[in-house]
Amino acid sequence: MDPHQHLNKTAESESSEKKKTRRCNGFKMFLAALSFSYIARALGGIIMKMSITQIERRFDISSSLAGLIDGSFEIGNLLVIVFVSYFGSKLHRPKLIGIGCLLMGTGSILTALPHFFMGYYRYSKETHINPSENSTSSLSTCLINQTLSFNRTSPEIVEKGCVKESGSHMWMYVFMGNMLRGIGESPIAPLGISYIDDFAKEGHSSLYVGGLNAIGMIGPVIGFILGSLFAKMYVDIGYVDLSTIRITPKDSRWVGAWWLGFLVSGLFSITSSIPFFFLPQNPNKPQKERKVSLSLHVLKTNDERSQTANLTNQGKKVTKNVTGFFQSLKSLLTNALYVIFVLLTLLQISSFIGSFTYVFKYMEQQYGQSASQANFLLGVITIPTIATGMFLGGYIIKKFKLSLVGIAKFSFLTSIISFLIQLIYFPLICESKSVAGLTLTYDGNNSVASHVDVPLSYCNSECNCDESQWEPICGNNGITYLSPCLAGCKSLSGIKKSTVFYNCSCVEVTDLQNRIYSAHLGECPRDDACTRKFYIYVAIQVINSLFSATGGTVCILLIVKIVQPELKALAMGFHSMVIRTLGGILAPIYYGALIDKTCMKWSTNSCGVRGACRIYNSVFFGRVYLGLSMALRFSAFVLYIVFIFVMKKKFQGKDTKASDNERKVVDEANLEFLNNGEHFVPSAGADSKTCNLDMQDNAAAN
């Protein structure tokens, strides 16, 4: 052989190997970058769910309005998901994903931005305690009201203050930031999965997708840890002297450093966007691309000649596509099996989303746990349990090679078991706190039928107190009083958190054995019986999460089998739209509206306008929160029975064992469910086995 020919062949082989290495490296870099973006989107979703109660208190808004803010993510996602899914594959997908991560990070930072413009958080707008250090003030009857000075200003100044009330409308920036985060999140999974499907080796795409979703689980873990840490920090940390703050994390007015979580997740999302702008549109660049370019050049003249004919044909094609779309949609909506399936999953996921949105508030109000403790427990206990349940469910489906009807029955069975377990939550509801003026008369001797307009008692009727004031103190008789004035206290000593009130006439009446009649700042803690109920609640939560997760998310497999093959993509897209619109957006709103009905004491701003709730009726709250979830799920079970009956009748004699590819789809669905930060719901009263489909799943199925 000619030495020159040998050298040329060697050079060609080396060049070919370099190209393969370059292609491989480009694809691997894309996978690495996409992994970080999956972590970022899950982190942002968990941070929002964990911060919703803090946001409610900081902006002094109701739970229903906080639910609307939470649902703004779905609003943003719905605005662009169709366009992203359709046009994204025709453009530079890595750059579009990078832009999405950039928008997602910008949205998170915009959410945190109001903190820097709202001024300091005033946890007590009505009162300011300023006792001199290490001194005891002996005052005449209820002159404590002079020390707890009210903002008694002229009507003109109050009116101006209303306009400038800190945070009066700043929540709209949180709303827009969360919506922008939803817009940014939309291209990540659809374009990322389609990119993997196009350029991964044959048969490797499902492995890569499963790995991505597994890595994405890091996001919720980090989110729960950070959320627990930031919830311990005071909202204005770094700006105020923390030694002057007299409330603790267990106080109903406490607001943690919620904004730090959004800054961290925002910066992480922006950082994860950088690699995408340096990745190629096509990592392979095959030779056929050059041949196509040459062919286009040769045929350019012919194309120009037939341009008019092409325009006419395109117009006819568009008309045909529009007509075909409505015909396909009609075919879906006249498919009884599909309609039943959409309705039952809507009910399940509505229970799922609504419960998780307020589970942190539930644990705080029901068991007296701080936001930090609630965040930590949910993250540490339920994430591993649900992950285990998901993979256990997939193993059972593969092991016993369940048919499609069998999978539906298995899912229904685990859901029923979970439902029965959740009934145990009702006996674990704690009694409402003993609060003078809300659940008891002010003298603490008798209970009241209603918390509205409880009359003053002889122990505080001459104190001239402001009944709208919320500065709770705990008497040494175990009863919480709305304020030192309403407790009839006459003297105080100590500073800030250690302030103690003495000679409280309302405390004296109910505690004849104790002659001190004192009280200290803050609500009285829950009793030992309620604390024991909390530990049982956590244990039941673990068992329930395992059983409910074992059923897996089999929605993709069920949807693709109950509709015509050519309608699969439209079926999943329409299902996703219904779930996001009626579940993701509406569920937090009506859950919040019903929870607001259980409030016993509202805060008021300087204008006298109702703000956030300070204390709830624990029994009523528990029944509403758990009862609504159970009602939604029970309705879904009725439809599930009808669905299985109709499905069994339709596939009688036709139903085959689920193929390996179909079971692989189920595994990917389980992993996608675990990774979805917005709907990851390890909550009480929620079925964590529900079908959490979105456009990302649509792209994966295609």
Side-chain angles (χ1 to χ4, degrees):
M1 180 183 293
D2 189 355
H4 293 290
Q5 293 180 351
H6 178 72
L7 289 173
N8 289 336
K9 287 185 177 181
T10 304
E12 288 177 1
S13 63
E14 289 178 354
S15 176
S16 177
E17 289 178 2
K18 287 181 180 179
K19 287 182 179 179
K20 289 180 180 179
T21 303
R22 192 182 303 116
R23 295 171 197 166
C24 181
N25 290 340
F27 184 71
K28 286 182 177 179
M29 286 296 295
F30 177 81
L31 284 177
L34 194 62
S35 298
F36 278 103
S37 69
Y38 265 52
I39 295 173
R41 71 169 187 160
L43 174 61
I46 286 296
I47 290 293
M48 171 54 74
K49 290 292 184 184
M50 296 173 66
S51 303
I52 199 68
T53 302
Q54 310 287 322
I55 290 172
E56 179 182 331
R57 294 173 183 171
R58 182 64 181 96
F59 294 91
D60 219 11
I61 57 178
S62 64
S63 295
S64 55
L65 185 53
L68 175 63
I69 292 174
D70 181 71
S72 62
F73 175 88
E74 302 292 357
I75 295 174
N77 204 287
L78 282 171
L79 288 176
V80 298
I81 188 65
V82 174
F83 301 101
V84 167
S85 299
Y86 182 75
F87 295 106
S89 60
K90 307 177 187 301
L91 303 173
H92 197 298
R93 283 175 287 186
K95 286 186 178 179
L96 282 178
I97 295 174
I99 293 172
C101 291
L102 189 62
L103 288 176
M104 192 165 60
T106 304
S108 293
I109 293 176
L110 177 61
T111 301
L113 208 57
H115 168 75
F116 301 97
F117 299 101
M118 290 176 64
Y120 299 149
Y121 172 54
R122 297 173 58 199
Y123 51 83
S124 182
K125 296 179 175 63
E126 305 92 350
T127 63
H128 303 280
I129 299 178
N130 295 302
S132 58
E133 187 171 352
N134 297 325
S135 67
T136 301
S137 303
S138 296
L139 307 173
S140 59
T141 306
C142 300
L143 283 182
I144 192 71
N145 208 24
Q146 293 180 356
T147 304
L148 304 178
S149 58
F150 295 96
N151 297 324
R152 302 185 185 277
T153 53
S154 65
E156 293 80 7
I157 296 176
V158 171
E159 187 174 352
K160 292 179 181 178
C162 289
V163 178
K164 297 181 179 180
E165 179 71 24
S166 178
S168 57
H169 297 292
M170 295 292 280
W171 61 266
M172 293 182 1
Y173 289 95
V174 181
F175 180 92
M176 291 187 293
N178 200 35
M179 183 187 293
L180 185 60
R181 192 172 63 83
I183 293 173
E185 190 263 358
S186 58
I188 294 176
L191 302 188
I193 294 176
S194 65
Y195 192 92
I196 291 173
D197 190 57
D198 287 344
F199 301 115
K201 292 181 180 179
E202 187 71 24
H204 284 63
S205 59
S206 61
L207 176 64
Y208 290 137
V209 172
L212 277 173
N213 288 294
I215 291 173
M217 280 295 294
I218 298 173
V221 173
I222 296 175
F224 277 114
I225 294 174
L226 290 180
S228 177
L229 177 64
F230 294 150
K232 290 181 182 178
M233 302 178 182
Y234 186 64
V235 60
D236 291 321
I237 187 172
Y239 295 92
V240 298
D241 182 3
L242 297 181
S243 64
T244 64
I245 306 302
R246 66 175 183 269
I247 60 175
T248 66
K250 289 193 175 183
D251 195 292
S252 63
R253 296 165 293 175
W254 176 270
V255 176
W258 61 275
W259 52 276
L260 274 175
F262 289 103
L263 285 183
V264 171
S265 64
L267 292 175
F268 188 86
S269 296
I270 291 174
T271 303
S272 69
S273 71
I274 296 175
F276 290 105
F277 295 104
F278 299 96
L279 293 173
Q281 182 176 2
N282 183 342
N284 294 335
K285 296 288 183 183
Q287 276 193 344
K288 64 180 182 180
E289 187 175 280
R290 293 195 294 270
K291 294 179 180 179
V292 170
S293 299
L294 180 61
S295 300
L296 289 174
H297 179 73
V298 172
L299 297 174
K300 186 176 180 180
T301 304
N302 294 334
D303 288 341
E304 290 175 351
R305 292 174 183 174
S306 59
Q307 187 174 13
T308 304
N310 286 340
L311 289 174
T312 303
N313 292 333
Q314 287 176 4
K316 293 179 179 179
K317 187 176 180 181
V318 169
T319 304
K320 183 179 179 181
N321 288 339
V322 172
T323 304
F325 170 78
F326 285 107
Q327 289 177 345
S328 299
L329 187 60
K330 180 182 177 182
S331 178
L332 277 182
L333 297 180
T334 53
N335 184 335
L337 202 58
Y338 177 77
V339 172
I340 294 172
F341 183 78
V342 170
L343 291 177
L344 75 88
T345 52
L346 172 62
L347 292 171
Q348 284 182 315
I349 295 175
S350 294
S351 167
F352 189 84
I353 297 172
S355 295
F356 184 50
T357 302
Y358 299 103
V359 66
F360 303 101
K361 178 191 288 288
Y362 178 79
M363 293 178 69
E364 290 179 51
Q365 291 291 330
Q366 192 64 229
Y367 301 109
Q369 301 298 309
S370 66
S372 175
Q373 291 171 319
N375 294 344
F376 181 78
L377 284 172
L378 281 177
V380 169
I381 294 175
T382 54
I383 288 182
T385 305
I386 288 183
T388 303
M390 286 290 182
F391 288 106
L392 179 62
Y395 173 78
I396 291 175
I397 291 173
K398 286 185 177 182
K399 177 71 174 178
F400 296 97
K401 298 180 179 179
L402 298 179
S403 64
L404 293 175
V405 175
I407 291 174
K409 289 180 179 179
F410 173 69
S411 176
F412 177 67
L413 176 63
T414 55
S415 187
I416 285 290
I417 295 174
S418 172
F419 181 85
L420 295 176
I421 292 174
Q422 287 175 13
L423 291 176
I424 303 175
Y425 288 135
F426 284 94
L428 298 179
I429 295 175
C430 293
E431 292 295 326
S432 295
K433 288 184 177 181
S434 298
V435 183
L438 294 179
T439 62
L440 301 172
T441 55
Y442 281 104
D443 58 18
N445 289 327
N446 302 297
S447 59
V448 295
S450 172
H451 64 273
V452 180
D453 297 328
V454 176
L456 294 175
S457 176
Y458 56 87
C459 64
N460 60 8
S461 58
E462 298 179 359
C463 294
N464 191 27
C465 302
D466 182 356
E467 295 181 50
S468 67
Q469 182 184 2
W470 177 257
E471 186 68 53
I473 63 171
C474 178
N476 57 4
N477 56 0
I479 296 176
T480 299
Y481 296 85
L482 302 182
S483 69
C485 180
L486 288 170
C489 299
K490 302 175 181 64
S491 61
L492 60 89
S493 68
I495 59 170
K496 306 308 174 189
K497 296 177 184 178
S498 60
T499 301
V500 178
F501 300 88
Y502 298 101
N503 300 321
C504 303
S505 56
C506 292
V507 178
E508 180 179 358
V509 174
T510 57
D511 192 11
L512 298 177
Q513 299 298 323
N514 193 326
R515 299 297 178 182
I516 301 178
Y517 317 134
S518 64
H520 60 270
L521 278 175
E523 299 176 46
C524 295
R526 286 290 191 179
D527 56 22
D528 293 338
C530 187
T531 303
R532 286 192 295 270
K533 286 183 178 181
F534 172 69
Y535 294 131
I536 299 173
Y537 168 84
V538 172
I540 298 299
Q541 179 82 298
V542 173
I543 299 172
N544 175 57
S545 298
L546 181 64
F547 272 97
S548 59
T550 302
T553 49
V554 297
C555 295
I556 294 178
L557 183 56
L558 291 177
I559 283 182
V560 300
K561 296 299 290 185
I562 63 178
V563 299
Q564 300 170 12
E566 64 272 15
L567 298 179
K568 288 189 295 185
L570 179 60
M572 288 188 289
F574 182 79
H575 179 269
S576 174
M577 183 189 70
V578 171
I579 296 303
R580 285 181 178 272
T581 304
L582 302 181
I585 298 174
L586 294 184
I589 296 176
Y590 61 72
Y591 260 82
L594 288 176
I595 289 173
D596 284 338
K597 298 292 184 182
T598 69
C599 183
M600 294 193 297
K601 181 69 175 179
W602 294 91
S603 68
T604 54
N605 60 19
S606 60
C607 312
V609 177
R610 193 180 81 174
C613 185
R614 295 306 189 197
I615 187 170
Y616 294 86
N617 184 314
S618 299
V619 176
F620 194 18
F621 185 5
R623 290 174 179 172
V624 167
Y625 175 78
L626 297 175
L628 179 57
S629 297
M630 302 299 272
L632 290 172
R633 293 190 58 207
F634 183 79
S635 302
F637 292 156
V638 174
L639 290 177
Y640 222 135
I641 294 173
V642 176
F643 174 76
I644 293 175
F645 176 78
V646 176
M647 186 179 184
K648 187 175 181 180
K649 187 176 181 180
K650 180 177 180 180
F651 290 98
Q652 189 72 35
K654 301 177 183 178
D655 196 11
T656 58
K657 302 294 183 183
S659 67
D660 291 337
N661 288 335
E662 288 169 339
R663 286 192 293 269
K664 193 178 295 182
V665 171
V666 175
D667 293 340
E668 293 178 11
N670 291 339
L671 289 166
E672 174 65 18
F673 169 80
L674 284 170
N675 184 52
N676 194 316
E678 279 304 304
H679 297 151
F680 177 75
V681 190
S683 63
D687 183 6
S688 57
K689 179 207 55 57
T690 53
C691 306
N692 187 18
L693 280 177
D694 51 22
M695 284 295 187
Q696 294 98 314
D697 301 319
N698 186 6
N702 290 337

